[in-house]
Amino acid sequence: MATAARTFQNFIGGEWVDAAGGETFESLSPATGEAIGTFPRSGPEDVDRAVEAAKEAYRSWRLVPAPKRGEIVFRFAALVAEHKQELAQLMTREMGKVIAEAGGDVQEAIDMSYYMAGEGRRLHGQTTPSELPDKFNMSVRMPIGVVGVITPWNFPIAIPSWKIVPALVCGNTVVFKPANDTPALGERFVELLSEAGVPPGVVNVVHGFGRDVGDRIVRHPDVPVVTLTGSRETGVAVLEAAADHLKHVHLELGGKNGIIVMEDADLELAVEGILWSAFGTSGQRCTAASRVIAHERVYDELAGRLVAAAERMRLGPGWEPDTDVGPVINRKALDKIHSYTEIGQDEGARLLTGGEVATGNGLDRGFFYRPTIFGDVEPQMRIAQEEIFGPTTALIRVRDFDEAIRVANGIRFGLSSAIFTRDVNRAFRAMRDLETGITYVNAGTTGAEVHLPFGGTKDTGNGHREAGQAALDVFTEWKSIYVDYSGRLQRAQID
Ligand code: UN1
């Protein structure tokens, strides 16, 4: 799989340029430590240049008819589809997820781009009667300006598409900071946008770290919209930093998603759903199932089957065809995940399987953690409350449906939830009562499709949604227009 590591640059105003300070950082494969490339370690100055270019480009991009902007996005979708294999292979090397999942990540960007291309011919507003004669009323969506896009490493192609593509179709321009763990994918994303015909300056990429690049994007007075997918802590810091300029801030933050398994569930299906949601992407999804809330009548049976299946999972580099679970992103993540194993044990939960760094068979070169299941977890324990972002899940025993719902909701986050049951009444009650932005019935907690809103309640965000029509609300502002064709002054609420 190895190819020679290259040196990359920022993309500003349609030109490839080094960071002003000349510093660099490396992107390494989490599976092997292999160098993927060297990237500019940018600073505030580079952000300022990118914002300047984006501001300039906005003057003409906002006037390009939306269907034309959609056509460019349509070409981008086709290009991503053409390059799907190449992108998936790069992803498995740079980010670590197994190749089939990497293909899914790319597919999500293709789907989103085709979907949003069509939005170019919709972007619907409303027309409505006026209360006065000879007067016409309507509302239209207007672009906002330069959008700051800050994305995580766990969906390095899909998540940039959720943000950049609708931002562009709506007529905004973009300054994009890809995650510093997956800059090569961020850079390919922008190269393909440019190849599809996005004009110079409309999308700019500035590589680097949150404290240098991200912070400047968030504070820059000429960036009115910031969209971030990241941790709760980063989200709070972004909101605070953006407050002075009253920016529109879209946040997509953590999850502590629970799967409820009732006593009437199809257990085999539940086991498959849990394994996929808990250990897929090595648990590094904000939609990952890090809690399993099981009815006491099926708890033991479920625990036994889960442990057996988890122990059969094969760890290895994502590009090897028999790998089930790839590495986690970096050393820091590995340490954090392991610290939660220690926390769980100290809290008195029972470690049923895993709980250790995986070694041997070449795994020592990367960051591998054994799929980990804790049993006898109490809902208030830290391993049942805090986002671990790794292949660790906590089994919680409950007596009935009401307790299951209470436990599921008893966390600060509200992204995704799931219930396995054959009872239609309970399924509908769960759909109503689970306090999350996404609920699955008889499926795991992952698997969002691009044409439905994606996001969560409570501390998962600040009330916005991405994907689907809902995304348009992040990237446009409403304007109400009144046209009076009576030829005389008519006063609303008075005449
Ligand atoms: C994320 O983890 O940030 O539903 C996004 C899913 C994927 C997207 C996850 N389609 O799990």
Side-chain angles (χ1 to χ4, degrees), residues 135 188 242 367 427:
K135 201 175 163 202
R188 280 300 286 139
F367 310 114

Side-chain angles (χ1 to χ4, degrees), residues 196-230:
V198 171
V202 171
V203 176
N204 306 276
V205 62
V206 184
H207 290 289
F209 294 84
R211 59 183 169 281
D212 313 314
V213 175
D215 186 71
R216 180 60 184 157
I217 290 176
V218 170
R219 291 177 195 279
H220 199 298
D222 295 328
V223 179
V225 184
V226 176
T227 168
L228 164 93
T229 297

Side-chain angles (χ1 to χ4, degrees), residues 108 154-155 159 162 229 284-287 440 445-448 454:
E108 207 162 328
N154 68 331
F155 276 81
I159 291 181
W162 297 6
T229 297
Q284 304 170 108
R285 292 184 176 217
C286 22
T287 54
Y440 292 89
T445 48
T446 74
F454 181 93

Side-chain angles (χ1 to χ4, degrees), residues 193-466:
L193 275 172
S194 172
E195 208 178 314
V198 171
V202 171
V203 176
N204 306 276
V205 62
V206 184
H207 290 289
F209 294 84
R211 59 183 169 281
D212 313 314
V213 175
D215 186 71
R216 180 60 184 157
I217 290 176
V218 170
R219 291 177 195 279
H220 199 298
D222 295 328
V223 179
V225 184
V226 176
T227 168
L228 164 93
T229 297
S231 69
R232 182 186 181 281
E233 291 64 37
T234 311
V236 171
V238 165
L239 263 186
E240 283 172 357
D244 265 354
H245 293 288
L246 297 166
K247 296 189 182 202
H248 299 202
V249 179
H250 161 260
L251 301 174
E252 181 48 53
L253 310 174
K256 190 70 191 173
N257 315 295
I259 295 182
I260 296 174
V261 183
M262 294 307 298
E263 77 279 22
D264 63 347
D266 175 341
L267 273 198
E268 210 171 301
L269 184 64
V271 167
E272 276 183 63
I274 293 164
L275 290 175
W276 171 234
S277 301
F279 304 131
T281 326
S282 306
Q284 304 170 108
R285 292 184 176 217
C286 22
T287 54
S290 49
R291 300 182 299 152
V292 176
I293 301 157
H295 191 281
E296 59 186 5
R297 293 225 316 256
V298 290
Y299 178 97
D300 290 329
E301 166 86 21
L302 185 70
R305 289 205 209 182
L306 284 172
V307 168
E311 288 175 352
R312 279 196 299 272
M313 294 184 114
R314 288 156 305 190
L315 276 69
W319 55 83
E320 284 177 5
D322 57 353
T323 296
D324 298 309
V325 182
V328 300
I329 190 68
N330 54 33
R331 160 78 48 200
K332 207 170 136 211
L334 195 67
D335 291 346
K336 178 181 171 192
I337 292 161
H338 188 64
S339 79
Y340 273 99
T341 295
E342 291 168 348
I343 290 167
Q345 285 174 309
D346 289 347
E347 287 177 311
R350 243 180 53 211
L351 180 62
L352 301 180
T353 187
E356 59 186 12
V357 174
T359 52
N361 275 335
L363 297 181
D364 314 65
R365 293 193 297 152
F367 310 114
F368 291 89
Y369 205 75
R370 295 240 172 258
T372 300
I373 302 177
F374 272 103
D376 297 336
V377 177
E378 295 297 329
Q380 292 315 316
M381 288 180 177
R382 287 182 61 194
I383 54 166
Q385 290 286 327
E386 297 172 19
E387 188 173 46
I388 301 171
F389 224 65
T392 301
T393 200
L395 306 190
I396 303 169
R397 195 190 304 260
V398 291
R399 278 181 305 275
D400 56 28
F401 176 79
D402 290 337
E403 189 185 358
I405 298 284
R406 252 195 332 273
V407 168
N409 288 339
I411 46 159
R412 76 196 312 184
F413 296 112
L415 183 53
S416 182
S417 57
I419 182 166
F420 283 88
T421 181
R422 288 175 165 125
D423 178 337
V424 69
N425 296 348
R426 275 177 179 163
F428 269 87
R429 267 185 227 126
M431 287 185 246
R432 182 191 62 197
D433 294 339
L434 287 168
E435 296 164 353
T436 52
I438 306 169
T439 293
Y440 292 89
V441 176
N442 292 329
T445 48
T446 74
E449 301 177 29
V450 302
H451 50 298
L452 268 76
F454 181 93
T457 63
K458 302 196 276 191
D459 282 14
T460 292
N462 56 344
H464 298 282
R465 294 291 183 271
E466 47 198 342

